[in-house]
Amino acid sequence: MVHNATSNTTQLLPWGWSITPQDDHLLLCPSASRILGTFALVNALVTALSIPFGNRVFLNWLTHRRFFKNPDSVDHRWTWIITVGLQLSANALVGYIFQRSPGYNANFKIWELMLFFTVRPRLSWIALTVLGLYERSSTRRQRRLHKTENSKDQPIPDRPWGSAAKSQAFAEVALQIMALYVMGTTVHFGARHGYYKLKTTTYKSLPLSAHLMYSGAMFYLVSGCLIIFYELCGLLMEYGDETHESRNEEDEHSGSILLFVWVNLTCTWMASWIFWAGFVRLAGNQYCPPKLYAQGSIWGAFSLFGIAIGAGAA
């Protein structure tokens, strides 16, 4: 019975790798709730800690006024690359730990798991995007003047979370593009095997976990393609625009950002949760990750470091 269940599960998964214990009696696999709980805990802690560590003013104070001094920093235009590298490095390190853990069979390649984990839900960048709209009130000491084309002096807006928010958002675009490969592979596999044909016997015979995984993948793929197109347009505008916006333009821009955050929250972020909720239950002992605490700690630490770098060290 166990062999048949494992065989059926393998047939329902789009990839050939697995992480399994060598002896089911000696090593107990974490429950689906614990695996998903690790994701939730990382999301909650990183989001909470992103408030101080994504704040340029706090980091400026923390470094004794040596770094993070420029309120008009554009370092986010390159720090997002570091953030992407850190996220991929964290995924690769987690995969390496899986392979080196005694008592487990891990027949995947590091790059496979590195890409697979780009699908995991990330919330901190959404929170930072909202915080990035906050404009710090100017004081005599903090006010900096900027000459506009009309030769009028205007204070440069100081958004303490602005640089970190943009850096994280740019990095998220890159990670979402990579995640489309995983979701596209899942959807292609499901379509080829008839898992999306609603009235067929094959569709009706699928367990609920498979329905969740494949519907989450489709939801992510469709919404992700549309959202990423919008995000790329925003990136082009960011890199091409050197002017400061008027107050009315800023208000309109803020409204667009809040709408963008809401769409991401209800589409790609929610879709990734649906995908993972289905996957970990469907895979069962075929996905038996060891050392969940180490896994969560790595993701948390690397994420926070990327957030701090994105705040603009200049």
Side-chain angles (χ1 to χ4, degrees), residues 26-276:
L26 295 178
L27 294 172
L28 293 177
C29 292
S31 64
S33 299
R34 283 190 62 199
I35 296 173
L36 296 175
T38 301
F39 287 154
L41 184 61
V42 171
N43 266 253
L45 289 178
V46 173
T47 300
L49 291 174
S50 70
I51 297 175
F53 286 99
N55 187 300
R56 181 192 57 78
V57 177
F58 172 78
L59 292 174
N60 177 244
W61 169 82
L62 194 65
T63 58
H64 301 284
R65 313 295 179 186
R66 294 182 180 179
F67 303 103
F68 306 97
K69 295 178 289 187
N70 185 6
D72 200 33
S73 172
V74 292
D75 287 351
H76 59 271
R77 295 185 176 184
W78 59 267
T79 55
W80 68 269
I81 300 173
I82 298 177
T83 299
V84 172
L86 286 169
Q87 290 292 332
L88 295 178
S89 298
N91 294 347
L93 181 57
V94 169
Y96 178 80
I97 290 175
F98 286 177
Q99 285 189 340
R100 295 296 178 179
S101 295
Y104 289 87
N105 295 316
N107 63 347
F108 58 84
K109 297 177 181 177
I110 294 293
W111 69 266
E112 290 179 313
L113 212 62
M114 182 178 70
L115 282 180
F116 187 75
F117 281 138
T118 59
V119 180
R120 64 185 178 86
R122 292 172 294 271
L123 183 62
S124 59
W125 77 274
I126 295 178
L128 282 171
T129 300
V130 176
L131 289 171
L133 298 175
Y134 168 74
E135 185 174 325
R136 190 183 181 204
S137 58
S138 299
T139 65
R140 181 174 299 178
R141 181 181 178 184
Q142 297 157 352
R143 189 177 293 114
R144 300 174 68 242
L145 298 179
H146 173 70
K147 288 284 186 179
T148 65
E149 293 179 356
N150 297 327
S151 298
K152 294 181 180 179
D153 291 337
Q154 292 183 349
I156 295 177
D158 182 4
R159 295 186 173 91
W161 288 279
S163 183
K166 291 179 180 179
S167 179
Q168 290 296 301
F170 293 178
E172 185 64 22
V173 174
L175 293 171
Q176 286 180 1
I177 291 174
M178 297 178 197
L180 288 180
Y181 168 79
V182 178
M183 294 306 196
T185 300
T186 305
V187 170
H188 178 262
F189 182 89
R192 189 157 53 89
H193 288 79
Y195 297 158
Y196 291 107
K197 296 180 180 179
L198 304 184
K199 297 182 179 180
T200 62
T201 305
T202 301
Y203 176 84
K204 294 178 181 179
S205 66
L206 292 176
L208 176 61
S209 55
H211 285 302
L212 285 173
M213 187 184 77
Y214 284 105
S215 61
M218 178 65 80
F219 186 20
Y220 193 105
L221 185 65
V222 174
S223 62
C225 286
L226 297 175
I227 291 172
I228 288 172
F229 175 77
Y230 177 83
E231 290 170 339
L232 289 175
C233 291
L235 282 178
L236 292 175
M237 292 176 62
E238 167 65 25
Y239 276 87
D241 187 12
E242 298 291 340
T243 62
H244 289 274
E245 298 172 327
S246 67
R247 175 56 60 183
N248 289 336
E249 289 174 331
E250 286 180 4
D251 291 340
E252 293 177 1
H253 186 56
S254 298
S256 299
I257 289 178
L258 290 175
L259 177 61
F260 164 72
V261 166
W262 174 252
V263 171
N264 258 288
L265 193 61
T266 56
C267 291
T268 53
W269 189 73
M270 186 63 68
S272 63
W273 274 112
I274 296 172
F275 172 85
W276 274 99

